[in-house]
Amino acid sequence: MDLTSQEKLETLLQSSRIGMIGLVVAILILAGLIHWLRSWYRDRDDPAGGPNEILNQMEELHLEGDLSEEEFRSIKGQLKRPRD
């Protein structure tokens, strides 16, 4: 069976479309996986560094006069309270 040039071209274009669709799907899956991994990793990070670091920062604000004694005691009590 001898295919004409046009039939050969159509066959080639059809196989190229299937390959391109597969490539696009693979790229989208990979992008979704990268997004999920990055968000999972970021959720594990604690930007404040924990209650002790927050308390140290609040104490500095209190000593500089930016935080009243009452505000500092309130924050300290909340940070020292056992978490459920």
Side-chain angles (χ1 to χ4, degrees):
M1 291 187 114
D2 189 24
L3 297 174
T4 65
S5 297
Q6 185 168 351
E7 289 173 336
K8 289 179 183 179
L9 182 60
E10 287 175 4
T11 304
L12 179 63
L13 288 175
Q14 182 65 26
S15 64
S16 295
R17 277 189 226 138
I18 292 171
M20 291 301 270
I21 290 171
L23 182 62
V24 168
V25 169
I27 289 172
L28 290 174
I29 290 172
L30 184 60
L33 180 63
I34 290 170
H35 176 71
W36 177 78
L37 284 172
R38 290 182 72 189
S39 65
W40 176 75
Y41 183 73
R42 285 183 185 153
D43 288 345
R44 295 181 51 200
D45 289 345
D46 186 5
N52 289 333
E53 187 171 330
I54 294 172
L55 187 58
N56 289 339
Q57 291 172 354
M58 295 301 115
E59 187 175 17
E60 286 178 26
L61 288 173
H62 173 63
L63 293 173
E64 292 171 359
D66 293 333
L67 202 60
S68 71
E69 180 68 31
E70 184 179 318
E71 291 169 324
F72 177 69
R73 278 186 283 148
S74 174
I75 293 169
K76 185 177 178 180
Q78 290 176 9
L79 290 173
K80 294 290 184 176
R81 186 180 312 143
R83 297 177 194 248
D84 294 332

